[in-house]
Amino acid sequence: MAGMCSDYTVNPPEETFVQHATSFEQVHALVADEFSIEEGFLDHGVPTFYVKLTSESKNTFLRLMKRLDAIGFIPFLREEKGKFVLRITSKPPVKPSRISTNLLLFLATIGTTLLTGYLIAPSDWVDPIVGAITFTVSLLAVVGIHELSHKFAANRHRVEATAPYFIPGPPPPFGIGTFGAVIQQKSLAPNKDALFDLGISGPLIGFAVAVIVTVIGILISLTSSVIPPEATLLPSPLFFDFIIRMLASAGFLQGGPFILLHPVAFAGWVGMFVTVINLIPAGMLDGGHAVRGLLGRKANSILPFIAIIILLVLNFSLYWLIAIIAFFFSMQRHPGPLDDVSKLTTSRKLAAIFLVAIFVLCIAPSPDFLKFIENFLGLFKSV
């Protein structure tokens, strides 16, 4: 798994404002400089304002956020009972990160993925040491670039986030050497645009890297007319299968209908598998970020179960564990952005189509499901 998580609670902290050195009048003046205030008051010690919005309110909120940040406050903009409510709270302290923890986890993940690559390398035609190194470099490139894309998006929108935490995992037969990586988000996204960018950046770039790794891996894999007795059959993601067919039609794959995957190709397969996990629209997964920014809170509570059902129908044996994990993620309520009122830009709405396409292309249907579809289409044609 690769993605972002947050240590923020859903609701703004109700801290007594009168204990802060800044007066209510000072905050009122800052808000009045940016918004038209209908009413302003202290609600349980929290400065609260009913404001009027305009077509420029998205940029207005960003300016106010920057000015409040300079004096240690953050704004929350919500729509409640037909009114636009702006609450100002003290900015919570950010716990410093220890880069040594990131480094130790990264080194541990290198060790577990090296062992995995060594174990999965077909020793009769791939040197296990070479297999270990190429698998590790390929897989960590997919996961690492995915996470760095999140980090760049966070920096662009001034969202405080840690460096990636790589998570080592067990080698075969119990795992693939890693559980992916995660970035901890230490502040909320300023608006829906930023939240959507945080969600889409990792899967979009990570998928592109997975495709490159897959193409390279397939080109250096072997073809065979028979399946070796010790081989493990992997369900093929739709785009993984498409790449194989394209390379075969171009004459790069000859010698038989079966492909003995090089560890690099397996890393590409894992990259597509991880992409499906992260694009499930649940909780703080990447898909959860994107859907929360695109469709709002209600869709974020419904779509996870639709996606889980689809995966289980397509390939229960491959996705049952992922479905359980996604279910628990869906139980976590997404905090949303600071400005939960402004709309997502049109270009980002169009970009959501690419996310859906990537999710579909990375799904690996089971042979039984494909056979069912084939029989159904055959029945339909006969009628």
Side-chain angles (χ1 to χ4, degrees):
M1 183 178 68
M4 299 187 71
C5 64
S6 174
D7 58 1
Y8 258 73
T9 56
V10 174
N11 298 315
E14 294 188 1
E15 180 176 312
T16 303
F17 180 78
V18 294
Q19 296 176 354
H20 200 281
T22 304
S23 68
F24 174 78
E25 288 74 19
Q26 287 176 288
V27 172
H28 187 284
L30 288 176
V31 175
D33 283 345
E34 304 293 351
F35 288 94
S36 175
I37 299 176
E38 294 181 330
E39 185 180 356
F41 52 92
L42 283 173
D43 182 15
H44 296 90
V46 177
T48 303
F49 304 90
Y50 293 145
V51 297
K52 293 181 179 180
L53 302 187
T54 67
S55 58
E56 291 298 317
S57 293
K58 183 187 293 186
N59 293 328
T60 299
F61 181 88
L62 292 175
R63 288 197 302 269
L64 177 63
M65 186 180 71
K66 186 176 181 180
R67 296 177 70 181
L68 288 171
D69 182 72
I71 59 173
F73 291 93
I74 52 175
F76 290 81
L77 182 60
R78 300 288 187 268
E79 184 177 1
E80 299 176 5
K81 299 179 181 179
K83 291 187 176 182
F84 299 111
V85 183
L86 182 68
R87 292 186 175 88
I88 312 298
T89 69
S90 298
K91 188 176 181 180
V94 177
K95 297 179 181 179
S97 302
R98 294 183 178 180
I99 196 65
S100 58
T101 302
N102 302 77
L103 181 59
L104 288 174
L105 287 173
F106 179 62
L107 292 175
T109 304
I110 290 177
T112 53
T113 51
L114 281 172
L115 179 57
T116 299
Y118 185 90
L119 293 175
I120 67 172
S123 57
D124 54 337
W125 59 279
V126 176
D127 185 295
I129 300 298
V130 174
I133 294 173
T134 54
F135 174 76
T136 298
V137 171
S138 302
L139 183 57
L140 295 188
V142 174
V143 175
I145 293 176
H146 176 118
E147 291 305 319
L148 288 177
S149 298
H150 283 311
K151 181 63 174 175
F152 291 146
N155 291 344
R156 178 189 172 200
H157 291 289
R158 299 182 179 180
V159 175
E160 296 183 63
T162 66
Y165 290 96
F166 286 81
I167 308 172
F174 305 105
I176 56 172
T178 178
F179 290 111
V182 66
I183 283 179
Q184 185 180 21
Q185 185 182 325
K186 294 194 172 186
S187 64
L188 295 181
N191 52 38
K192 293 179 180 178
D193 288 346
L195 183 59
F196 184 81
D197 290 351
L198 289 175
I200 195 176
S201 55
L204 195 62
I205 304 302
F207 172 72
V209 178
V211 169
I212 294 172
V213 168
T214 298
V215 171
I216 295 173
I218 295 299
L219 288 174
I220 59 178
S221 296
L222 288 184
T223 56
S224 175
S225 57
V226 296
I227 303 177
E230 72 279 3
T232 300
L233 295 178
L234 291 176
S236 183
L238 295 177
F239 203 72
F240 195 91
D241 187 61
F242 173 78
I243 291 173
I244 292 174
R245 292 177 184 274
M246 291 296 294
L247 292 177
S249 63
F252 290 105
L253 301 178
Q254 298 178 357
F258 302 107
I259 297 179
L260 308 180
L261 295 183
H262 190 280
V264 173
F266 180 61
W269 185 94
V270 172
M272 294 188 186
F273 179 75
V274 168
T275 299
V276 168
I277 299 173
N278 281 285
L279 285 180
I280 296 174
M284 298 301 291
L285 292 175
D286 297 339
H289 286 309
V291 168
R292 182 63 175 80
L294 178 67
L295 300 176
R297 183 179 300 167
K298 290 184 179 179
N300 201 242
S301 62
I302 299 173
L303 285 181
F305 302 103
I306 297 176
I308 289 171
I309 291 172
I310 290 174
L311 290 178
L312 291 178
V313 169
L314 290 174
N315 197 330
F316 181 86
S317 61
L318 180 64
Y319 293 123
W320 68 270
L321 180 59
I322 302 308
I324 294 174
I325 295 173
F327 175 78
F328 283 106
F329 267 99
S330 67
M331 296 295 100
Q332 180 186 20
R333 187 178 175 186
H334 198 292
L338 296 175
D339 171 10
D340 204 14
V341 174
S342 63
K343 305 299 182 182
L344 199 68
T345 62
T346 302
S347 60
R348 288 179 172 86
K349 292 178 182 178
L350 295 175
I353 299 174
F354 288 98
L355 275 190
V356 175
I358 289 172
F359 179 77
V360 172
L361 291 173
C362 288
I363 289 176
S366 68
D368 290 339
F369 179 82
L370 293 175
K371 188 174 182 179
F372 169 78
I373 294 298
E374 183 180 350
N375 292 337
F376 177 79
L377 293 177
L379 180 64
F380 182 78
K381 288 180 180 179
S382 64
V383 174

